[in-house]
Amino acid sequence: MLDFTSALYLGLAHDHASLRPWKALTAGKPAALHTLPGTPSLAAELAALMGCEAASLGPSTLHLFFDLFETWPAGRATIYADAELYETAWWGVGRAAARHVPVRRFRHYDADSLSSLIRRDACLGRRPVVVADGFCPGCGLAAPIAAFLECIRSCGGWLVIDDTQALGVLGRGPSARVPYGLGGGGTMQWLNVRSKQIIVISSLAKAFGAPLAVFGGTRSFVVDFERRSLTRVHCSPASAAAVHAAEQALLFNQHAGDRTRQFLSQLVARLRQKVARAVRLCGGYFPVQSTPGVSAVPAVTLQERLAAAEIATVLQRDRATGQPRVGMLLTAQHSIRDVDRLAAGILAAIQ
């Protein structure tokens, strides 16, 4: 079965033999009591990669979003969440809502919609906290971070970005020749945006293939976040294996990341070109491509026909319409031959 269901975009699997050895998988202590060797340097390296002053590590984005919104924002604040925000971030926002923090939804990546809501609420005297994904694979667009910042600049608000999709894929200085940019630092680097009002939460489990997450922001905010964190007291930290996998991923990124991303972008371009005469793929040039049902072939039928041809894809739900679509995740482990077979399978399935 030819598999297009994995989000390991750079093709990193981190088998045990390839990782730096560890004496114990875990210390049996929460992060508040024990700092795993290598964790501070890994956090610092990730902060530099993402363009943040400082960073903190967690077992997952769920842990980090829970911690962020369980006790923050304090005082008078309103959360403005993108209508198509990924579920993990929504679960965090739900913690704040349970503390009676008002939550508003604005149209997906629509700065005018956000600005209108903030102006409408201005008389309430609450600080705005905007929450959005850094990159949306569904529409193939990056968040308009500069426009979002403009909406909150004058009222001292915050912008919280879930950059899980972009970390390890997008980077600084994108161009027609290098569509993903360089370095893999994520959406802020890709858009060349810096601000002390931005908080970034990202998983390393996709492009970097390491099951842990990073929280980035100003040094003072990160220190305060760790001080307030409940999961650092009541939950286990990321394991030694996960930390060592992240170390290896960043080493790979330094030496071969840009070359790998360039190959990946070429695979995506080839797929889009091969099916362009018959199918409109969504996702831009990001390695998550998708197609709704084509003419008389519903998405469910399309996926079933691809499966019959020994091609595994993902049945997704379009967040805007609720309709199913067929998702295809490309990684650097795929070959040109794999992509050509996928394209041929799609064209045959819609006949």
Side-chain angles (χ1 to χ4, degrees), residues 191-216:
L191 298 175
N192 192 27
V193 175
R194 298 285 187 280
S195 173
K196 293 182 180 295
Q197 292 174 278
I198 295 179
I199 298 164
V200 184
I201 293 178
S202 301
S203 172
L204 279 71
K206 294 188 182 296
F208 288 144
L212 77 168
V214 59
F215 179 101

Side-chain angles (χ1 to χ4, degrees), residues 233-234 343:
V233 174
H234 299 291

Side-chain angles (χ1 to χ4, degrees), residues 11 30 32 51 59 62 65 67 83 92 94 107 113 139 154 168 184 198 229 235 246 262 283 290 351:
L62 179 59
F65 276 115
D67 270 342
R107 288 191 299 272
S113 172
C139 60
S154 63
I198 295 179
S229 168
C235 301
Q262 185 68 2
S290 62
Q351 297 302 318

